[in-house]
Each structure stands twice: as structure tokens, then as C-alpha cells.
Amino acid sequence: MLDIDIDSKMGILFVRLFGRLTKETRSKINEEVITLINNVGIQNIVLNIQNLNYIDESGIKTLKKCYKTCDKSFICANPNQLSLIGDLKYVTDEMTAVNLIGA
């Protein structure tokens, strides 16, 4: 199961993910997040994966798709999740991302 909390502040879309991001649940991100990004023209996104307890390969690809859709993107992750996100820019808290985006 995947739960998504979406919030927008200061021109930044905050997407907080909870649960499991897998081949079976990734469509929820495509339907809710990527559709919103494309329809509204979101340019800045913070993807908070700190509360995901499992991510498979298709989930990682979906995160990367969201990440690459926006001009300024950050992944908010725990240190034990860093090996999952590869070369994507990451921070350990959302406020750091806001400061780096410059909103």
C-alpha cells in the first residue's frame, strides 16, 4: 500500500510518500503526482521518501521520472536510503530543500 500526501507552498510541490513503492503501487504516483506536475506546470518538487519502508526497482524508476520532470528537484531521504536514489540530489529534511531551491 502506498499513501501520498501532496502539499504546495512557496511555489514548491511537496510529495510525501508512505508505505511501499512497488510495481503494483507506482501507478498512484503517475496518476496523482505526474499528472499534477504536467497539468499545473510545477517547476520545483521535493519528494520525501523518508517514510517509505520498501522501494523496488520500478518504484525507483518512478521516483526518477518525477524528479526529472521538474526544473529543481530534491529527494528528502534517510541516510539508509541513499543507495537507492543514485545520483539524484538529496537532502535530509524539507527545509534544506526549500533553502536550496531558493523559494
Side-chain angles (χ1 to χ4, degrees):
M1 175 160 193
L2 177 69
D3 290 317
I4 302 174
D5 176 48
I6 299 174
D7 191 16
S8 179
K9 295 179 186 169
M10 302 178 291
I12 303 169
L13 183 68
F14 293 89
V15 178
R16 298 172 188 102
L17 304 174
F18 302 86
R20 299 172 57 88
L21 180 54
T22 65
K23 182 178 182 179
E24 291 78 26
T25 62
R26 69 183 175 159
S27 63
K28 192 169 182 179
I29 288 181
N30 290 327
E31 292 167 5
E32 294 182 29
V33 179
I34 294 179
T35 300
L36 180 64
I37 290 169
N38 292 331
N39 288 345
V40 179
I42 302 292
Q43 295 182 4
N44 306 310
I45 188 169
V46 176
L47 296 161
N48 189 330
I49 65 168
Q50 292 177 327
N51 292 304
L52 285 178
N53 52 39
Y54 181 78
I55 308 172
D56 69 10
E57 187 63 33
S58 65
I60 292 168
K61 289 178 184 177
T62 302
L63 283 177
K64 289 181 178 184
K65 181 179 177 182
C66 282
Y67 181 94
K68 292 177 181 180
T69 304
C70 296
D71 293 337
K72 292 184 182 177
S73 304
F74 288 91
I75 302 281
C76 189
N78 293 319
N80 62 338
Q81 295 171 315
L82 298 182
S83 63
L84 299 173
I85 60 173
D87 61 345
L88 304 180
K89 290 182 261 179
Y90 72 91
V91 294
T92 55
D93 63 88
E94 291 179 359
M95 187 50 84
T96 300
V98 170
N99 291 333
L100 290 169
I101 289 171

